[in-house]
Amino acid sequence: MGSITLKQVTKNFDEVNVIKPLDLEIRDGEFIVFVGPSGCGKSTLLRMIAGLEDTTSGNIDIDGQDATSTPPAKRGLAMVFQSYALYPHMSVRNNIAFPLKRAKVPAAEIEQKIASAAKILNLGDYLDRKPGQLSGGQRQRVAIGRAIVRQPSAFLFDEPLSNLDASLRVNMRLEISELHKSLKTTMIYVTHDQVEAMTMADRIAVFNAGIIEQVGTPLELYQHPVNRFVAGFIGSPKMNFIELKQTKEDGATCLGVRPEHFQITTDAGIWSGKVGVVEHLGSETFLHVQVDGIGTLTVKANGDCPLSYGDDISLSADQSKILRFNDQGITLPSKGNQ
Amino acid sequence: MATNSSSKSKVIYTLLAWTISAAIFFPILWTLLTSFKTEAEAISANPSLFMFDWTLENYRDVLERSPYFDHFWNSVVISVGSSLIGLLIAIPAAWSMAFVQSKRTKHLLMWMLSTKMLPPVGVLIPIYLLFRDFDLLDTKLGLVIVMTLINLPIMVWMLYTYFREIPNEILEASRMDGASISAEIFHVLLPIALPGIASTLLLNVILAWNEAFWTLILTAANAAPLTAFIASYSSPEGLFYAKLSAASAMAIAPILILGWFSQKQLVRGLTFGAVK
Ligand SMILES: Nc1ncnc2c1ncn2[C@@H]1O[C@H](COP(=O)(O)OP(=O)(O)OP(=O)(O)O)[C@@H](O)[C@H]1O
Ligand SMILES: [Mg+2]
């Protein structure tokens, strides 16, 4: 079991408010990702759920029980830190055994659990090494091993992969997703890498300056962002925002077009401009197009796109995929649905 | 060329370091040499560095005339005892200051350190009267208490700086792993901070061993440590340089040997965590 409910939770550091009253329901067994720009309060909220930071007001329920003032040791949650936070003086084996020893698990059972965690995480060869003798990826596995042996009701991850290099990050991402599929335990995962968010999450919560802008599945956020902030935050490269010279009759002051929704046309399109920098990624190409009066638009094209710097280009876009925002930045109902 | 000039400066620095060390060490060397001279040679107007009649008679006299091993034992009890009790108090204090900080923690630390700036004579009379009323004069217990109190601020400061070097996340991880506060301190904090704790202990043993203000004032015969033993060779019976030197040599020898074998720990301790 591992459902977590936040009710009107706030956090102040001294006089500074970093979490505004916030409600969130985390369902048992789901993989929820907190994303948002740096300093928006993701880690703070995660640490409040963990009990490492106290809650200024509001309630945190774990499995229906009020846990707002329960100390971290008694919440039954496990956490994986960005810095791994392994015990440097203990062998890998003892690091993993530590939570079990605290829970007074019999020695034979501890041995058995270490062996099975080592097998899942490929740590068998390293059990007698100290953390200092391991690579970053191995350390991260030990930290995860230490978290899973206790069978916690939920896992909390605070940017666990941000210290790893790109290829290792992709591997570990898959391993954590697989772990979630096999353990079926609730996972709360903080990141500001939106690829991690999109690929791993059942649901994503997008944070901005101490509030949650939107919660939803990755595709909901991609297709139906509630406002300009979410639209700009989800998706890579970022959505293009085109400010309108005049407010439309429905109140739209700005259009949002994702780079992948442009079409390059030979006849006169909606926008025309000159090709700037061209980024060839092999499977796809990103064009940075200068459009007079609008600025730079990022356009995604095929991998074999023949255009190069200085070429003239015309662009159009599928009307049903264009998002429209009013002057508050709120998304207006799309034309396709009207 | 670059290597040449850097090796040249290396030679200069090495020479400088040796010169300064020799200057610092000279009085100790002189004391040692004097302890092997006769009293006449010790006060001679043209003292010779090595060319004198080496004799052990000062050591024999000193050992005969006063109970060296009693004083030695008192020194051990007072310095080690006060350092151990100090650690017991300083570890939880430093833990709370390093990991459960409040707005006033910094002020508290400064205030504690400021007590070290007060000349001890300032509290001489109240302490003397308290000791008299509680029958602590000339007892080892009394000196252990005073030494603990005197060195406590330094111990807390040193431990505080060591604890600050330990990432908070490691302690938080132990809390997430279900550790109680005592498990957190005994299984995680103390083992990681062990080198720092060892150098704190060592430095405070040395400070307490060498302390000569309170030990001279608060002891007579029973609890007198080696500092009082040295002092007994200075005034009352006139000046006996050679015997005084022998007594001094015997008093500092144990701590010098301890210091020699624990140089590494001490250097770490004295830099106060400035070098990570
Ligand atoms: N102990 C603290 N005391 C005072 N302010 C704090 C403390 N911890 C965090 N803050 C402030 O709270 C805000 C949110 O911090 P938090 O660490 O939760 O951000 P974040 O979303 O995790 O950012 P990042 O992606 O950079 O990790 C920041 O403005 C930060 O300065
Ligand atoms: Mg963070």
Side-chain angles (χ1 to χ4, degrees):
Chain A
M1 282 299 286
S3 66
I4 296 169
T5 311
L6 310 179
K7 295 182 211 152
Q8 290 294 301
V9 171
T10 67
K11 176 72 185 179
N12 292 356
F13 284 113
D14 299 324
E15 302 305 307
V16 185
N17 175 256
V18 292
I19 302 283
K20 310 219 164 65
L22 177 152
D23 289 294
L24 182 65
E25 181 111 22
I26 298 165
R27 301 174 198 135
D28 182 30
E30 87 172 321
F31 197 124
I32 189 165
V33 173
F34 293 177
V35 285
S38 190
C40 64
K42 310 177 295 286
S43 300
T44 304
L45 189 67
L46 192 76
R47 291 167 54 80
M48 286 160 73
I49 295 173
L52 296 172
E53 213 68 78
D54 38 69
T55 306
T56 305
S57 70
N59 278 315
I60 297 175
D61 290 2
I62 299 177
D63 287 331
Q65 303 282 325
D66 183 3
T68 317
S69 44
T70 310
K74 301 237 160 70
R75 293 196 184 193
L77 308 173
M79 184 149 170
V80 176
F81 294 84
Q82 182 176 1
S83 63
Y84 319 133
L86 298 177
Y87 309 122
H89 57 296
M90 295 182 196
S91 64
V92 168
R93 181 188 304 281
N94 285 331
N95 264 280
I96 298 176
F98 187 79
L100 299 171
K101 285 183 184 160
R102 301 282 77 71
K104 306 235 162 23
V105 173
E109 202 181 324
I110 292 183
E111 274 312 308
Q112 186 197 328
K113 288 193 166 174
I114 293 176
S116 83
K119 198 161 155 241
I120 297 175
L121 295 163
N122 273 321
L123 286 170
D125 298 341
Y126 313 116
L127 281 177
D128 295 311
R129 294 213 198 154
K130 294 269 173 68
Q133 301 164 307
L134 300 178
S135 73
Q138 290 161 346
R139 284 181 212 182
Q140 195 52 276
R141 283 204 187 84
V142 177
I144 294 173
R146 186 174 66 180
I148 61 177
V149 283
R150 267 171 63 214
Q151 288 153 339
S153 52
F155 290 101
L156 314 178
F157 293 91
D158 193 352
E159 309 205 22
L161 308 185
S162 56
N163 287 346
L164 304 180
D165 68 49
S167 69
L168 201 51
R169 206 146 60 203
V170 175
N171 287 341
M172 287 301 295
R173 201 165 82 197
L174 288 173
E175 280 186 41
I176 293 176
S177 291
E178 238 156 62
L179 204 63
H180 179 245
K181 296 277 179 293
S182 64
L183 298 175
K184 299 186 175 61
T185 309
T186 313
M187 292 189 176
I188 308 176
Y189 190 104
V190 169
T191 181
H192 45 234
D193 178 344
Q194 58 107 8
V195 177
E196 270 174 32
M198 295 295 281
T199 53
M200 301 172 90
D202 293 327
R203 285 195 306 156
I204 298 176
V206 181
F207 282 66
N208 182 23
I211 61 162
I212 295 182
E213 298 276 4
Q214 188 174 5
V215 187
T217 65
L219 279 186
E220 273 167 18
L221 298 190
Y222 176 81
Q223 292 168 345
H224 308 292
V226 295
N227 57 30
R228 208 172 141 162
F229 180 82
V230 177
F233 200 80
I234 299 291
S236 169
K238 268 177 63 133
M239 176 179 274
N240 296 289
F241 293 109
I242 301 167
E243 306 290 346
L244 298 172
K245 305 222 161 43
Q246 298 165 299
T247 308
K248 289 274 165 64
E249 69 276 15
D250 61 354
T253 59
C254 174
L255 301 181
V257 188
R258 295 200 182 276
E260 53 272 37
H261 294 152
F262 281 116
Q263 283 129 22
I264 300 171
T265 56
T266 43
D267 50 354
I270 309 175
W271 303 280
S272 56
K274 276 202 182 320
V275 175
V277 175
V278 177
E279 297 174 312
H280 286 286
L281 299 184
S283 62
E284 58 206 18
T285 305
F286 295 118
L287 308 172
H288 297 271
V289 177
Q290 291 294 335
V291 179
D292 279 343
I294 291 178
T296 308
L297 297 178
T298 310
V299 176
K300 185 180 156 189
N302 290 335
D304 51 8
C305 176
L307 290 169
S308 61
Y309 190 88
D311 289 353
D312 289 319
I313 186 172
S314 298
L315 299 167
S316 67
D318 183 349
Q319 284 298 319
S320 68
K321 299 242 166 85
I322 296 181
L323 293 176
R324 301 137 55 72
F325 305 100
N326 69 12
D327 56 354
Q328 313 284 313
I330 309 288
T331 313
L332 298 167
S334 76
K335 279 207 169 143
N337 298 348
Q338 266 175 354
Chain B
M1 281 312 283
T3 48
N4 213 345
S5 74
S6 84
S7 76
K8 205 185 258 170
S9 69
K10 213 172 187 176
V11 169
I12 293 174
Y13 279 121
T14 311
L15 275 177
L16 203 68
W18 277 97
T19 315
I20 293 173
S21 324
I24 294 173
F25 184 67
F26 186 75
I28 299 175
L29 177 71
W30 192 252
T31 306
L32 252 154
L33 292 173
T34 308
S35 74
F36 293 105
K37 294 177 181 175
T38 59
E39 290 294 350
E41 264 167 325
I43 52 169
S44 142
N46 324 304
S48 148
L49 196 55
F50 295 111
M51 297 298 133
F52 54 84
D53 291 330
W54 291 71
T55 171
L56 283 172
E57 72 178 17
N58 298 313
Y59 287 91
R60 196 193 57 219
D61 286 356
V62 165
L63 283 172
E64 260 171 20
R65 280 199 356 204
S66 41
Y68 170 79
F69 290 101
D70 290 352
H71 294 303
F72 173 78
W73 179 240
N74 288 341
S75 275
V76 170
V77 171
I78 292 166
S79 57
V80 176
S82 67
S83 299
L84 285 177
I85 294 173
L87 267 190
L88 283 185
I89 305 170
I91 286 174
W95 174 83
S96 72
M97 289 179 189
F99 299 112
V100 202
Q101 285 202 332
S102 78
K103 270 180 278 182
R104 283 176 277 280
T105 303
K106 281 260 144 40
H107 302 300
L108 187 63
L109 275 164
M110 282 317 292
W111 170 76
M112 277 184 8
L113 202 65
S114 74
T115 61
K116 292 298 295 177
M117 297 165 194
L118 185 76
V121 204
V123 287
L124 173 61
I125 293 179
I127 292 216
Y128 190 89
L129 294 180
L130 279 171
F131 266 54
R132 188 195 61 194
D133 293 349
F134 285 95
D135 278 335
L136 287 171
L137 285 173
D138 201 18
T139 62
K140 289 197 269 294
L141 175 66
L143 274 186
V144 167
I145 294 174
V146 167
M147 288 300 146
T148 306
L149 293 178
I150 286 177
N151 287 338
L152 205 52
I154 294 180
M155 297 188 111
V156 175
W157 257 94
M158 283 184 72
L159 289 173
Y160 168 80
T161 50
Y162 285 118
F163 288 178
R164 290 288 301 210
E165 284 180 28
I166 299 174
N168 206 358
E169 286 197 345
I170 293 181
L171 300 185
E172 289 177 342
S174 77
R175 269 168 247 167
M176 293 305 295
D177 284 344
S180 59
I181 288 188
S182 66
E184 175 183 329
I185 292 186
F186 283 106
H187 292 293
V188 180
L189 178 66
L190 293 189
I192 296 177
L194 202 60
I197 291 170
S199 49
T200 306
L201 183 71
L202 222 66
L203 187 70
N204 279 277
V205 167
I206 293 173
L207 286 177
W209 186 282
N210 292 336
E211 206 285 335
F213 178 77
W214 294 104
T215 46
L216 291 183
I217 286 168
L218 299 174
T219 62
N222 293 328
L226 288 171
T227 42
F229 154 81
I230 304 176
S232 71
Y233 284 88
S234 60
S235 48
E237 301 144 301
L239 280 175
F240 294 94
Y241 281 118
K243 288 186 190 59
L244 181 62
S245 299
S248 303
M250 287 165 76
I252 59 178
I255 210 71
L256 224 56
I257 293 167
L258 180 72
W260 181 265
F261 283 108
S262 50
Q263 281 181 58
K264 260 195 198 145
Q265 290 296 339
L266 270 177
V267 168
R268 229 184 101 69
L270 288 169
T271 52
F272 260 59
V275 244
K276 283 201 179 179

